[in-house]
Amino acid sequence: MLSTFIIKMLKIVNKLFGSSSKRHLRSFSKIVEKIDQLENSVKNLSDNDLRQKTQFFKDKIKKGTEIDQMLPEVFSVVREVSKRVIALRHFDVQLIGGIVLHRGMIAEMKTGEGKTLVATLAAYLNSLSNEPVHIVTVNDYLAERDSNWMGEIYKFLGLSVGCVNSKTDHEKRLEEYKSDILYATNSEIGFDYLRDNLKNNYDSLFFKKSGFAIVDEVDSILIDEA
């Protein structure tokens, strides 16, 4: 059964955007139900059991499991780890936001609705394919704060976390870009990409392969400052 909250959301979205958005939200809500159904079993796992989930998920991908098939369990694990290490539990609407980001869509959320926490879901899920995940934000403060704050979740699960902003030394940047999850400002990401195009040594490149990017304040970064 859909929760009263989600049913109300469906009605509001349908009035504003029509049946297409309603179909999306109904589909996402069914995934959220699966995530919620796993919460009790994941809650009973030990810290060590949770840490081992990262390798478990990566092994499943190597054996051919599609990443979308693992989404409910992966999101449930991230939510439980978040509760344990930073005392924040993803709400259902934040789980929907995580699904939206994973699918390459725009999740519009107001200040205070937990965008920073939402990003951890899609970031961890996509890191399991051993591709870099870049979380792009608008200023030095947010890049540093979020890499330290949300980084506790990723580190618990065995991932490395980096940060690149205007204060990051050039010599240190290469190591930061090797991280599984990287928080960086849009300006530094842009200039580092330009610097890569002036290099003739593959090993010195910041961007060695394609990855997954989450853009915070997407309207500002991709329109106002494009």
Side-chain angles (χ1 to χ4, degrees):
M1 295 293 290
L2 293 176
S3 69
T4 302
F5 170 77
I6 292 177
I7 292 173
K8 288 181 179 179
M9 184 183 291
L10 284 170
K11 292 179 179 178
I12 294 171
V13 170
N14 190 40
K15 287 180 180 178
L16 291 175
F17 303 109
S19 59
S20 177
S21 294
K22 180 179 179 180
R23 286 195 300 271
H24 278 305
L25 189 55
R26 186 173 294 279
S27 171
F28 297 158
S29 298
K30 290 179 180 178
I31 299 173
V32 170
E33 287 181 10
K34 293 179 182 178
I35 299 168
D36 288 340
Q37 290 168 3
L38 291 167
E39 186 168 16
N40 284 334
S41 61
V42 172
K43 186 190 306 182
N44 292 325
L45 296 175
S46 67
D47 285 358
N48 189 51
D49 288 337
L50 283 172
R51 289 190 178 97
Q52 292 179 0
K53 281 293 184 180
T54 296
Q55 191 58 51
F56 170 75
F57 292 139
K58 288 184 176 182
D59 289 343
K60 288 188 71 173
I61 291 174
K62 289 178 181 177
K63 293 176 181 177
T65 302
E66 294 291 333
I67 195 170
D68 283 358
Q69 293 178 267
M70 302 192 306
L71 189 151
E73 185 178 3
V74 169
F75 276 28
S76 187
V77 165
V78 174
R79 178 159 68 177
E80 180 60 30
V81 171
S82 177
K83 284 164 53 181
R84 295 190 191 188
V85 301
I86 61 173
L88 292 175
R89 177 186 178 277
H90 299 77
F91 293 108
D92 284 358
V93 69
Q94 292 173 314
L95 297 176
I96 291 175
I99 298 168
V100 169
L101 291 179
H102 167 62
R103 296 196 176 181
M105 303 164 69
I106 295 174
E108 183 178 0
M109 303 182 73
K110 296 179 181 178
T111 301
E113 288 186 332
K115 292 181 293 183
T116 306
L117 190 62
V118 167
T120 60
L121 298 162
Y124 176 71
L125 176 63
N126 284 276
S127 73
L128 297 172
S129 298
N130 288 322
E131 292 186 345
V133 174
H134 296 156
I135 301 176
V136 187
T137 190
V138 292
N139 59 53
D140 286 359
Y141 168 75
L142 289 176
E144 186 171 1
R145 183 201 70 175
D146 295 349
S147 66
N148 290 325
W149 186 20
M150 297 296 117
E152 294 300 314
I153 297 173
Y154 308 124
K155 291 174 183 176
F156 182 98
L157 288 164
L159 301 181
S160 57
V161 183
C163 175
V164 169
N165 57 29
S166 63
K167 297 179 288 185
T168 309
D169 293 334
H170 184 74
E171 293 75 15
K172 187 181 178 184
R173 286 178 184 243
L174 194 57
E175 290 304 312
E176 298 297 314
Y177 275 103
K178 292 178 182 178
S179 302
D180 298 311
I181 310 284
L182 176 76
Y183 285 83
T185 61
N186 58 310
S187 58
E188 296 305 314
I189 284 274
F191 281 116
D192 284 341
Y193 174 76
L194 293 176
R195 293 183 185 106
D196 269 5
N197 282 274
L198 298 175
K199 297 174 182 177
N200 54 19
N201 180 4
Y202 178 82
D203 291 335
S204 67
L205 295 178
F206 296 130
F207 303 96
K208 291 185 173 66
K209 56 183 178 179
S210 61
F212 183 83
I214 297 174
V215 182
D216 188 18
E217 304 291 352
V218 67
D219 53 345
S220 174
I221 290 177
L222 296 187
I223 300 175
D224 299 342
E225 300 182 22

